[in-house]
Structures are given as structure tokens and as C-alpha cells.
Amino acid sequence: MDFAALQHADLGPLGTAVSDWSTLIGNLETLAKAARDGLKGQADKAVWIGVNAAVSKDFIAKTAGEFDDARTQASSIRNILRDTRADLLLQRRNLEEAIGRGAAKNLTVTATGDGGFTVTMRVHPDRAGKGGSVPDHDEADLVALRDEVQKILVTATEIDASASKVLRALVDQSALGFSEGAYNDRDAVVKAVREAEALAGLARQKPQDLSVAEFDRLVAGLKRYADDPLFSARFAGELGAKDTLEFWSGINDPGLAGYQLTQERRDRFDDLQKHLGLTLAHATQSDSQAMNDWKREMTALGGKSVGPHGSHLGFQVMSSLMRWGDYNDRFLTRYGRALVKAEKEYSENGTRSPIAWHRSAADPQLNHTGTDTGADPFTGFLKALANSPDASTTFFGDPFLARDESDHAKGGMTNFEYLFEERDWPPDTDSKGETSIAGRNILAQALESAVTGHPAGEMPTADTPAHTAEQATLMEQIVHSVSEKPERLLDHKYMADSLGQISAEYMPDISRSMSPGDFNKESLMPIAGSAAVLPEDQLTRFLHAMGRTPEGYSTVVAGQHSYTASLMEHHFQNPNAYLSSIDTPGPESLSRAFERIAHVGGEIQGIAGAGRSLEVETPQRTADAEYNSTLKTLGTWGGTTIGIGVGIATLPVAGPGGIVIGGLAGTAANETIGQLVEGGMRDSRDEMIYRNGKEVSDTKESTYKLIEASAIKASEGSTFPTQGIIALVAPAAEEGFDNAKTLLSDYLRSEDLPRSMKNGKG
């Protein structure tokens, strides 16, 4: 900023801008509140079915969120302008005071016309009036005034330039919509941007030149600012895609990194990996030109060697950093398609294990989580998909091989089919030197994300969108695949926790598919969004396989009981909701509904219980204690608003993929889960609500008792006569449990039935 501009510029318009932005923030806050309480609030209370549940409700939620983002960005802009104006006014005041002090010493500061200034004597002593005098000064006073004015101008220039820089950076973050960055003052923004540039400079150094102190500063800075959108985008953009790969590859290469760093900080490489990954994930959400270039270049570098030793390919390096954070969906889609293209090349279209991902003993380790070495890029990439549901759904539906690329019997192959059914996974080891299970385990997590619509390992919430047609189709493919070859699950039982969560959240679809007869299933078991259509034979084999794993069994059992309880609560509160073609409103119609609900619940429990019984009696038996211990992990589910994600809610709204709920719901399901967990933990056989399952008959008794208890709890507060209806529930559940034996005999081999069933028990 030049001297004349600081001295004479009219800062009034800047003050007006601050005032206008403040007014806008107030208006946006009003709109945001109206969107939250009105637009989104009404949408949450509405009953959404079909396409409206999968698309319209989600659109309304995102639109309402945009008002909050707009208010946040407007507040940040206002705060930056406010601080800039205040700081420039301060520098103008400093300038005026300095000029005044100079005048007191007969010195004047004047503009030179080219943006500069000069300090001269104000009145020469020879020209002073007769008898007058002028203040004395010396050369030191002149130099001091010149330096003070210059310092003020430098500060003002820095204020002006930094404000312009951060405002542009803030606005550039999002090409469409608004940035999520919230900043209370300009200094915080400026500090974040400067720190990003400084840390990027450290990362650009040669690995052998990075000191221990610089490493510590890098880790601390990334940890502090990893969630700051401006910092993340500026750090990644300044570093660039190529140098990002070179940095992480080089620092992990003992032949490149300094000895002191490798020896003294090796135990903190996991911290650096995590926070560098989080920073990059946040950075990919930016639409700045630098980050658009970064994302494009990173994908292009995936198949190229990294570093002077060429020990890794770009995909291996980047994927190892993708295990944390929420990466941009479009970036993940492009990256995933490029990775698949490389996989096809290295595996000869999936016909052999991709040799490029095989690690030799001399290769540096890229992953420091302890689960695997990071050599297989699909492991880290799938972890990113596990955190990004939309990108995950898209990826698994994409083709791995087109029809004309394969002799595959299905005439082509999706990414799901290749990874879940066909891939020869590269061998790898964990931190203990044992065979790593990370690849397939994280594949299951990515599938959980893709099918449920929320990140793996999290519970659905009221805001989780209803299942889409693409998600329902993938669910159908999972059921078909496991039913076709149960060993796809049973040879890798560690996948069961994710597949179990999927099963629980699709219990409405499972229950509807298992329902006997040609009656109005849509009103008996209403589903928000798209329903998965699951053939009875496939579903029977799938549930039986799930029952053979402790985690799968527990989540199926919990999912069924929770769904049954919440469905009963729904029908007690809405006694005319279900009408079949032969029913009229009244007790008979409601009785038929409860009989059918209980029958299906018993059937599902019977199938899963048979799987459990078979597993505990096999030579490689799973201890019964393992089954009971997994029930303990379900205790936290019962107290949540959505429970296990099968339609429990506190508002009249369809849960994610679940039933349409009316009124205050969830009490019965929560209590049912509590009884299930408590019963499974008890040692006394007489007090156990859910018996240990060694005999199918034990599980049957536990099933109909708990379903009956659910009906009793669900009936509380109902104005409809309930006693006669409740009396029908236990016999119907027992009948359904017994019918499971018929289904299992029809769809399973004799050797897959437990002894108690072969002997005619249960």
C-alpha cells in the first residue's frame, strides 16, 4: 500500500461493507433457522416412500444445510473485512501520529507521486520570520521518522495483501455452494495459510534433510490444522501431487531418510500418516485451481514409480494415506477407476494375483497402522470408501470387466463381483508378522458403507437417507453371493461384523422377503426408499451362514428383535395401517398382522439359530461363550434414537431403510435389546431369556418368549384392545421357528443341518 493511499483513502465503503455483511448474516441466520425448523423439520416429520424417500428428503436436508454454510462463509468474510478495516484505521492513525511528531521537529512527510514518500525539513531556519524560530532536529530524527513511516506502510501493505489473499482463498474453496470454513478473525486465517505454506516447504525437502525438530513441527502442525479447510487446501496445493508422493515414500525409505529421524521418530510415523491423510482428505473437498490440479495429477501419477529407488507406485503411496478422513466423492470415483485400470493390467484382467502389489522384504513399509504393510493399494482405497458412502456405492456398481473383456459366465463383472468373489488377494503381513486379514476385512467395511449409506462402524441417524435402488441392488448381490458360496463369508469370518450390520439395517427387506403368502406386505412392512428383493432360498442360505459367525448371528438376532418390536409398536399405534385383501379394519386385521410379524420373526431366528447350533457342534467349533460375548457389544445400541438402524425413531418418520414410524416409537425395541443382552449374559439357565443355543429347541423357546415380551411392551399406551392379540404372538413365533426347519431342509445340504434338526428336534 502506498503512502497517499493510506493517508487519504476513504475507508468508509469498507465500513459499509462490514455493515452490509452483518445484515446479510442476520438474514441468512433467519433463513437457516427457517430451513432447519421449517423446510427440514417438516421433511423429517413427513412420511416419505419410494423415490421421495431416497431423493427428495435427502435433497431437502442438503439444501437446508447450504443455508448454514452460507451463513458460516458470510460470517468469515465479514470478520476478515472487519478486522482489515480496523487494522488499516489503526495504521492510518499511527501514520498521522508519526507525521505529527515529525512536524514538532520541523520535519514533513510528503507523497512523491509514485506511491512513495519523502521526509524533508518543513521550514528552513533561514526562512523563519523575523524573530521566529523553528524546532531543532538532526539527521537521526529524519532517519527515524522515515523508518517509522516505512514500517507503517509495510504493515498496512501486509494487512491489505493478506486480506485479499485469504478472501480469495476462502471463496475459491467451493465452485458451487459455500465453504464450510469458520473463522472469527483475519489473523487466524492468515496464520493458518502461512503455516500451511511453511509446512509444505518442510515436506518438499529431501528426506535426508528433514531434522527431528522439523519432523515434530510437521506432525504438530498437521495435527492442529488437519480440519481447517484453508490450511488443508493450501498445504496440499503448495506441496503438489508429485511432492506429496515423494515425501511419504521418501520418509519411509531408510535408504533416503536420515538415520536420526528413522531411529528416533519411527514410532511416530503413524501419527504423521494419520494427520497427513486427514489433511489431504479435507483438501480434496476444495475446488480451488491448485487442488483441482492436485487431484488430476494424483490420479495420473498412480501407475508411475515414485522416488529415486522406484520402490513404490503412486497408487500404493497415496492409498496408504487414505485410511482417515472424508475424501471428495468425485476424486475417489476417478481415482478408483484409474486404480481398477491398473489392477486389470497387473492381474491380466483379474486372472491372477496382481504382481505389482506383492511386497518384497526390501520394500519400505508405507502403512503404520499395524494391520498390513500398505503394499496393496486397494486396502487403503477401500478404507477411504468405508468413510464415503456415496463414492462406495458408485464404485461397487462400476464394471471391472465389460462383456467383451471376459469369458466370465456372467458376461462381464462388477467391481463387487471381482473383489468379493474372484480376486486373488496379494499376500501381506501385519505388525506381528502374521498373515494380514486387512484387505478383505476393509472390503467388508466398504460394502457396509456402500449398502447402508453411512460410514462403516457408525450407527445410522434420523438424517441417514433411505436406501437407494443402487444400494438395494448391491444388497441383493451380497445375499446372492454368500448364498451361492457360503465359504465367501465362512472362510473369512472377520467380515461378519460388517455383513451383520448390513443385515440388521436391511431387516425390513429381509422380513418382507421371508413373509409367506400373497398379502399386502407393503402396508404390513412398509419400507422407505427402495426395497431389496431377496429370494427365499438365497435368503435362507445367507441367514444360515450369518448364524455360523458370532458377530453375524448377534446382529441378525438383534436386528430381527428390534425390528419386530418397533413394527409391533407401529401397528399398535396405527391399528388400521395394515389391511390385506381379505381383511376389514378391526381386531381381526390387526391380529393377522401380529401373527404374520411374529411368524416371520420366528422363522428368521430359527434359520440363524440353526447356523449357530451347527457351528458350536463342528470339530472346529466356535465356543458358545464367543456367541454370548458378542451380545454384550449390542448393549449400546438399545439406547440410541435409531437403535440399530431398522426404523426406530422418536418422530413420525421413516428410519433409514426401515419402517414408517408414527408417534413416539422405539421404547419397545430398546427394552427388547436390553432383555436380549441381559439374557445372553446370564449364567443361570432358568433365568436366561436368550439361551445358549447349543440345542435349537433352546433358541426357539427364547425366541418366542422375547417376541411375546416385545408385543407386551409395544402394546403399552395403545387404546386398542391388545390382550387377545398378544396371546397369538408366541404361538405364531413358535410356528415360524418350526417352519425354518422346512426351509433349511429344502435349501441346505443335510450335512449343513445341526444334529438336533437331523434328529427331529426343534
Side-chain angles (χ1 to χ4, degrees):
M1 178 172 289
D2 61 40
F3 174 80
L6 180 59
Q7 186 178 31
H8 301 297
D10 181 8
L11 297 179
L14 190 54
T16 301
V18 172
S19 178
D20 289 345
W21 277 100
S22 296
T23 301
L24 178 61
I25 292 166
N27 293 337
L28 287 172
E29 175 58 40
T30 301
L31 290 172
K33 186 177 187 304
R36 288 192 304 269
D37 301 342
L39 183 68
K40 186 175 182 298
Q42 292 300 317
D44 285 344
K45 295 176 182 179
V47 176
W48 297 90
I49 298 294
V51 174
N52 276 329
V55 178
S56 300
K57 185 185 177 188
D58 186 33
F59 173 77
I60 288 173
K62 290 180 179 178
T63 301
E66 283 291 319
F67 284 103
D68 282 317
D69 290 343
R71 177 187 51 79
T72 298
Q73 182 167 331
S75 297
S76 297
I77 293 173
R78 188 275 312 275
N79 295 341
I80 293 171
L81 292 175
R82 178 198 61 202
D83 290 355
T84 300
R85 178 178 180 274
D87 289 345
L88 288 176
L89 286 172
L90 174 61
Q91 296 310 311
R92 172 180 285 180
R93 186 162 61 250
N94 291 340
L95 179 63
E96 291 171 347
E97 291 174 354
I99 292 173
R101 288 192 298 272
K105 294 185 177 183
N106 195 30
L107 295 174
T108 185
V109 184
T110 57
T112 59
D114 58 357
F117 68 94
T118 183
V119 180
T120 59
M121 187 183 301
R122 189 176 186 188
V123 179
H124 194 278
D126 294 343
R127 297 178 183 173
K130 185 177 181 180
S133 63
V134 295
D136 290 334
H137 67 269
D138 55 24
E139 184 67 20
D141 292 327
L142 187 147
V143 171
L145 178 58
R146 182 198 65 195
D147 290 348
E148 183 179 7
V149 171
Q150 184 62 41
K151 184 178 179 181
I152 292 170
L153 292 179
V154 168
T155 301
T157 300
E158 186 177 341
I159 292 169
D160 184 55
S162 63
S164 175
K165 183 177 183 179
V166 296
L167 282 171
R168 290 180 184 275
L170 185 65
V171 173
D172 286 346
Q173 292 305 297
S174 181
L176 300 173
F178 303 92
S179 171
E180 61 179 358
Y183 302 97
N184 293 324
D185 56 75
R186 190 196 78 253
D187 289 346
V189 190
V190 172
K191 185 177 180 181
V193 171
R194 287 177 177 169
E195 184 69 357
E197 293 170 348
L199 295 184
L202 292 180
R204 276 197 302 270
Q205 293 182 154
K206 294 180 179 180
Q208 59 267 32
D209 294 337
L210 189 69
S211 68
V212 171
E214 289 172 331
F215 175 92
D216 290 344
R217 182 187 172 188
L218 190 57
V219 173
L222 292 175
K223 186 174 183 178
R224 178 180 179 184
Y225 285 106
D227 290 333
D228 186 303
L230 277 185
F231 170 89
S232 300
R234 182 54 60 101
F235 172 84
E238 286 285 312
L239 185 56
K242 186 175 186 297
D243 282 344
T244 299
L245 298 176
E246 296 283 356
F247 168 70
W248 186 242
S249 174
I251 203 172
N252 282 286
D253 190 337
L256 295 177
Y259 175 82
Q260 187 179 18
L261 182 64
T262 302
Q263 293 299 312
E264 295 185 19
R265 289 296 182 268
R266 191 72 179 179
D267 60 343
R268 292 199 63 197
F269 276 26
D270 55 343
D271 274 348
L272 177 58
Q273 181 186 1
K274 175 181 179 180
H275 295 294
L276 178 57
L278 286 169
T279 298
L280 297 178
H282 217 130
T284 61
Q285 302 296 341
S286 170
D287 283 328
S288 69
Q289 185 58 52
M291 278 312 301
N292 286 336
D293 292 342
W294 187 97
K295 287 178 276 191
R296 183 180 62 256
E297 291 169 8
M298 182 60 72
T299 302
L301 292 169
K304 298 181 179 179
S305 297
V306 175
H309 295 164
S311 303
H312 305 113
L313 294 175
F315 284 126
Q316 294 174 299
V317 181
M318 184 60 216
S319 289
S320 68
L321 298 171
M322 299 176 79
R323 298 167 188 247
W324 296 271
D326 181 12
Y327 280 80
N328 176 266
D329 288 343
R330 292 190 301 275
F331 169 68
L332 287 178
T333 297
R334 291 195 297 266
Y335 183 93
R337 288 169 180 169
L339 177 57
V340 164
K341 183 178 179 181
E343 172 88 0
K344 289 165 64 176
E345 178 184 347
Y346 297 134
S347 67
E348 296 182 2
N349 279 354
T351 59
R352 61 178 177 83
S353 183
I355 193 66
W357 315 141
H358 287 234
R359 181 178 182 269
S360 71
D363 290 340
Q365 182 174 323
L366 291 170
N367 174 45
H368 299 274
T369 65
T371 62
D372 60 290
T373 66
D376 184 357
F378 267 96
T379 304
F381 172 68
L382 288 169
K383 188 64 176 177
L385 292 183
N387 296 327
S388 302
D390 290 344
S392 190
T393 305
T394 298
F395 174 79
F396 285 113
D398 275 353
F400 179 78
L401 293 177
R403 290 180 178 272
D404 58 354
E405 288 183 299
S406 171
D407 295 331
H408 196 271
K410 298 176 182 178
M413 191 188 308
T414 64
N415 287 333
F416 163 74
E417 291 169 325
Y418 172 67
L419 292 172
F420 193 76
E421 300 175 353
E422 304 294 339
R423 191 184 196 223
D424 184 0
W425 289 76
D428 205 350
T429 56
D430 59 19
S431 58
K432 298 178 181 179
E434 299 176 356
T435 300
S436 173
I437 64 171
R440 282 191 174 91
N441 193 35
I442 294 176
L443 167 63
Q445 295 173 20
L447 286 172
E448 178 185 342
S449 168
V451 177
T452 65
H454 61 77
E458 297 183 6
M459 300 303 296
T461 68
D463 291 330
T464 302
H467 298 145
T468 65
E470 293 76 15
Q471 291 168 343
T473 297
L474 185 54
M475 175 61 179
E476 294 168 1
Q477 292 173 333
I478 292 173
V479 170
H480 170 77
S481 185
V482 174
S483 72
E484 182 182 54
K485 291 186 178 180
E487 59 269 24
R488 288 170 178 157
L489 168 63
L490 299 178
D491 287 350
H492 315 286
K493 291 184 178 179
Y494 45 80
M495 301 173 76
D497 55 348
S498 289
L499 295 189
Q501 182 71 26
I502 291 171
S503 302
E505 294 192 40
Y506 275 79
M507 196 54 65
D509 313 63
I510 290 172
S511 299
R512 184 187 284 189
S513 297
M514 293 296 295
S515 300
D518 183 23
F519 53 86
N520 187 359
K521 299 178 184 180
E522 288 74 16
S523 64
L524 179 66
M525 300 172 179
I527 292 177
S530 298
V533 180
L534 309 167
E536 187 179 66
D537 58 337
Q538 296 180 16
L539 201 47
T540 299
R541 291 190 290 268
F542 173 80
L543 292 172
H544 181 262
M546 293 298 295
R548 295 186 62 180
T549 68
E551 292 82 3
Y553 175 77
S554 296
T555 46
V556 167
V557 165
Q560 180 277 312
H561 278 303
S562 183
Y563 175 65
T564 296
S566 61
L567 190 58
M568 287 179 171
E569 194 167 27
H570 164 65
H571 283 290
F572 267 134
Q573 293 176 4
N574 302 274
N576 294 323
Y578 169 67
L579 289 175
S580 74
S581 58
I582 63 173
D583 289 329
T584 56
E588 181 180 353
S589 176
L590 197 58
S591 296
R592 288 181 184 275
F594 274 76
E595 281 186 300
R596 286 162 178 160
I597 292 169
H599 184 281
V600 171
E603 207 166 65
I604 293 171
Q605 291 286 338
I607 296 169
R612 171 176 174 165
S613 296
L614 176 66
E615 194 66 20
V616 298
E617 69 186 25
T618 56
Q620 301 81 20
R621 58 179 292 175
T622 301
D624 188 73
E626 287 187 46
Y627 277 94
N628 281 339
S629 67
T630 57
L631 291 174
K632 188 175 182 179
T633 65
L634 306 178
T636 58
W637 297 9
T640 63
T641 304
I642 303 296
I644 59 172
V646 290
I648 309 168
T650 56
L651 294 171
V653 57
I659 64 172
V660 179
I661 296 295
L664 182 63
T667 305
N670 287 348
E671 184 158 314
T672 296
I673 293 295
Q675 289 180 312
L676 172 63
V677 173
E678 181 184 5
M681 292 299 102
R682 291 185 182 182
D683 294 325
S684 171
R685 183 180 177 87
D686 292 336
E687 296 180 0
M688 195 178 295
I689 294 178
Y690 223 83
R691 299 184 187 275
N692 59 27
K694 290 181 180 178
E695 296 290 339
V696 178
S697 57
D698 292 337
T699 307
K700 179 172 73 171
E701 183 179 354
S702 301
T703 293
Y704 69 72
K705 283 186 175 181
L706 193 54
I707 290 178
E708 183 179 51
S710 296
I712 294 172
K713 184 63 181 178
S715 69
E716 293 181 0
S718 173
T719 58
F720 202 84
T722 60
Q723 187 172 357
I725 295 173
I726 292 173
L728 300 172
V729 168
E734 186 174 7
E735 179 184 308
F737 199 100
D738 289 338
N739 191 58
K741 179 179 180 180
T742 301
L743 294 175
L744 291 164
S745 298
D746 288 344
Y747 301 136
L748 270 69
R749 301 171 302 176
S750 176
E751 55 265 36
D752 291 330
L753 297 174
R755 285 193 301 269
S756 55
M757 278 193 170
K758 294 177 185 178
N759 296 333
K761 297 180 181 180

